[in-house]
Amino acid sequence: MPTYGAASRKLFWEESMKIVRAMSLLASVAIATTAQAENIDLAYAAYGPPTSSNVEFGVIPFLETAKEMSNGTINYTLHSGGSLLSAKAMLGGMTDGLVDGGQLLAVYFPSELPVSNLAMGLAPILRSGGPALAAAITEYVLLDCPECKAEFAEHNTVFLGAYSTTAYSLLCSKPVATLDDLAGKKVRVPGDFAYLASHLGMTPVNMSIGETYEGLQRGALDCSLGPVGWLEQFSLGEVAPYALDISYGVSYGGPIISLTQSLWDRLDDTQKTAFETGAAVGVFRAANAYIKTDQDVLASAGDKGYTVTEPSAPLVEKLGGFDAAFKEILLDRAKKGGIENADEIVSGFEKTLAKWETIVGEVGDDEDAFVDRMMNEIYSKM
């Protein structure tokens, strides 16, 4: 049996330690390689132009914030203005993975997203929008409505952030103030806002916002329902300079900020947090952009030749009778469509909205505080 002297034992020990250190280094490299985030270069589609409120102040800040927070692992290409996918093609593009994310409008997909559309269906009877409404529908879809979340998941979509306009006015080519003035007038309305138009004795016309200017110019329309900011944003003030401030109805939902499930599943925790933070920033800024645009238009209305009128007392009274009638229509239609818990969905969303109205009352215009609340109240619980 061989024996080893002190020198041999020392040499054996040194060589053994070299092997141990080499193995430790290899293990560290393997762990680091495994933990290294995948580089993401996503294609994001938006149907809105780059200067629209939801893209300029919602989608772009979402993407930029995620990029900045990702330690260099997230890049993006934005295809805006419907250059890659139109609004009506967006859900199919998400489902098929033609893009990695997109600005969606759920109202275009009532068959594919019936429960989500019910949660967003109170639009014609809401009186105010803003960050509270956008945050509320985001939370409701992600945390409180498993059917909503499942609908989006079925179409390879992760809902991350909603939008909210301000309350609508009637933007008309001629002065209007009374029910008699509105009788028979042709008004461009989206979706269920047709019920509101009919309730006021007007004739609803289904027309895209992109066609509205020409419709007003040629007399195919007398009015359009929308925020007063549209007088500038879509140049409607050139053909419809008379605004009747009914402050009734708000468009909300979207989502304007969403990613495909297939992309989401590839992200590490740092990247997910980057996208979630970006979504909260986009929700806040887009909603506030609508508010600021309205304020700017109202402040300069006289100088630009716009006339803003308050509705007559009988018209206001007529509006007051619309809420209960429309909610009955909404719930009855949902139940006939197979949504047995329709009452629960609507009341659940109203409860979430009340919660966020309180939160926004606390944080006010503080973007950082709003983002923190969205992260804590919503995204940390996904």
Side-chain angles (χ1 to χ4, degrees):
M1 181 175 180
T3 59
Y4 299 93
S8 297
R9 287 196 298 273
K10 180 180 179 183
L11 179 61
F12 175 80
W13 174 255
E14 289 174 348
E15 292 301 319
S16 297
M17 290 306 298
K18 287 180 182 178
I19 293 172
V20 170
R21 284 194 293 269
M23 291 179 67
S24 297
L25 179 61
L26 287 172
S28 299
V29 170
I31 292 171
T33 301
T34 302
Q36 185 176 6
E38 177 185 353
N39 287 328
I40 301 297
D41 190 359
L42 74 154
Y44 200 94
Y47 59 81
T51 55
S52 62
S53 294
N54 284 334
V55 177
E56 181 178 2
F57 299 102
V59 172
I60 293 175
F62 157 66
L63 294 169
E64 280 294 312
T65 300
K67 180 180 178 180
E68 290 169 8
M69 292 183 63
S70 70
N71 299 321
T73 65
I74 294 174
N75 279 294
Y76 69 88
T77 302
L78 174 62
H79 304 272
S80 59
S83 60
L84 186 58
L85 290 171
S86 68
K88 293 184 178 180
M90 195 65 68
L91 188 63
M94 297 281 286
T95 303
D96 296 337
L98 299 179
V99 291
D100 301 302
Q103 177 192 14
L104 272 165
L105 195 57
V107 70
Y108 284 137
F109 310 103
S111 299
E112 295 88 346
L113 306 170
V115 183
S116 301
N117 270 292
L118 175 59
M120 301 174 195
L122 294 176
I125 60 175
L126 295 180
R127 311 294 178 87
S128 63
L133 181 54
I137 191 61
T138 301
E139 175 173 329
Y140 190 72
V141 170
L142 287 174
L143 302 183
D144 302 328
C145 180
E147 302 99 325
C148 300
K149 193 173 181 179
E151 287 176 347
F152 282 101
E154 186 177 343
H155 294 280
N156 192 33
T157 299
V158 178
F159 188 122
L160 284 177
Y163 79 99
S164 166
T165 68
T166 47
Y168 280 2
S169 295
L170 281 166
L171 313 176
C172 301
S173 57
K174 295 179 180 179
V176 292
T178 68
L179 287 168
D180 287 341
D181 294 336
L182 299 182
K185 291 285 193 299
K186 299 183 293 294
V187 56
R188 179 262 172 189
V189 291
D192 280 350
F193 283 87
Y195 290 106
L196 176 59
S198 297
H199 183 77
L200 296 176
M202 305 181 78
T203 301
V205 178
N206 184 9
M207 186 180 290
S208 73
I209 186 60
E211 301 169 303
T212 302
Y213 183 100
E214 186 176 352
L216 287 161
Q217 187 179 46
R218 295 190 174 186
L221 294 173
D222 299 300
C223 302
S224 177
L225 199 61
V228 292
W230 284 4
L231 293 174
E232 288 289 308
Q233 189 174 6
F234 295 104
S235 302
L236 296 187
E238 296 175 4
V239 289
Y242 300 97
L244 182 62
D245 184 17
I246 60 172
S247 295
Y248 214 96
V250 178
S251 180
Y252 69 99
I256 58 168
I257 297 169
S258 68
L259 296 176
T260 61
Q261 185 72 55
S262 49
L263 174 66
W264 187 257
D265 292 341
R266 290 162 46 198
L267 303 177
D268 68 9
D269 289 344
T270 298
Q271 291 170 324
K272 287 180 179 178
T273 298
F275 278 122
E276 290 163 351
T277 306
V281 170
V283 165
F284 183 81
R285 292 186 187 176
N288 277 301
Y290 277 102
I291 295 171
K292 186 178 187 306
T293 301
D294 279 11
Q295 291 172 340
D296 290 347
V297 168
L298 290 172
S300 62
D303 294 336
K304 295 190 175 181
Y306 308 146
T307 301
V308 181
T309 306
E310 296 296 319
S312 66
L315 198 160
V316 172
E317 184 178 354
K318 183 73 172 178
L319 283 168
F322 179 66
D323 291 24
F326 175 74
K327 189 176 284 190
E328 184 177 346
I329 292 170
L330 182 69
L331 293 172
D332 183 61
R333 182 178 63 195
K335 291 171 184 176
K336 288 180 178 177
I339 304 176
E340 296 180 358
N341 62 335
D343 296 271
E344 178 184 333
I345 289 168
V346 170
S347 62
F349 172 67
E350 290 174 325
K351 181 179 179 180
T352 305
L353 176 57
K355 166 189 168 179
W356 275 97
E357 287 173 339
T358 299
I359 290 173
V360 171
E362 294 168 355
V363 303
D365 295 329
D366 188 332
E367 179 179 302
D368 291 340
F370 179 86
V371 170
D372 285 345
R373 294 300 291 269
M374 281 199 76
M375 295 298 292
N376 292 329
E377 298 287 340
I378 304 174
Y379 300 121
S380 67
K381 301 175 183 178
M382 284 178 62

